[in-house]
Amino acid sequence: MQTATFGGGCFWCTEAVFQTLNGVSQVTSGYMGGELKHPTYMEVCNGDTGHAEVVQITYDEDVIPFNTLLLVFFKTHNPTTLNRQGNDIGTQYRSVIFYENEDQQKLAKQMITDLTREQVFDKTIVTEIAPATEFYEAEDYHQNYFSDNQGKPYCAFVIQPKLNKFAKDFQDKIRPELLE
């Protein structure tokens, strides 16, 4: 099993997307990239810790390669807005890939080069590529947020439409039991 860590804005949305992928065994919401040890959600939300809201993904490379995870990451958030995703503004919502090894770093850089060359986005990709640092798991109520709170307005009006679009674009990557 391998680990990948991505920050693509609010971790609730990112977590919901990656939990549907065949080959992903665990998605944990948390914080990475800051200086404060053991930050809380409120400290990260204040924007002074340097942490990003991230998801740490445990996956089977034989089932879903890192490059596919990268493509899902780029296609399910806006990597062209600096420190912002939709109405969420601040460095904690930055687009970031925290790489675990040189291969992940190289693949992330190559993906940005390819997406730029193919003009997939209208603006420049501003996704940060940085070495993984200590991961701090978010509070329990952030874990499995969409699954546990589907009736809440944020889930219905923000996360569900994102999942619908994702399902249309990546149907062949979704765990089969979720398609029944």
Side-chain angles (χ1 to χ4, degrees), residues 11-12 15 28-31 38-44 136-145:
F11 47 38
W12 296 341
E15 176 192 71
T28 306
S29 291
Y31 318 107
H38 308 288
T40 66
Y41 179 68
M42 292 311 296
E43 290 169 329
V44 172
Y136 298 100
E137 189 172 320
E139 296 80 355
D140 287 345
Y141 66 93
H142 291 296
Q143 307 305 325
N144 300 305
Y145 190 83

Side-chain angles (χ1 to χ4, degrees), residues 5 24 27 39 45-46 49 57 61 85 90 105-106 116 128 138 159 175:
T5 306
V24 170
V27 181
C45 281
N46 286 337
T49 68
I57 303 159
E61 179 78 25
Q85 287 299 306
Q105 179 187 27
K106 182 179 136 206
T116 301
E128 175 186 344
I159 300 175
R175 292 192 334 245

Side-chain angles (χ1 to χ4, degrees), residues 69-79 115 120-121 162 165-166 169-170:
L69 295 177
L70 284 171
L71 188 58
V72 168
F73 169 70
F74 280 108
K75 293 284 195 149
T76 56
H77 83 293
N78 185 346
L115 294 171
V120 172
F121 299 99
K162 184 177 274 206
K165 181 182 182 308
F166 165 74
D169 294 344
F170 290 94

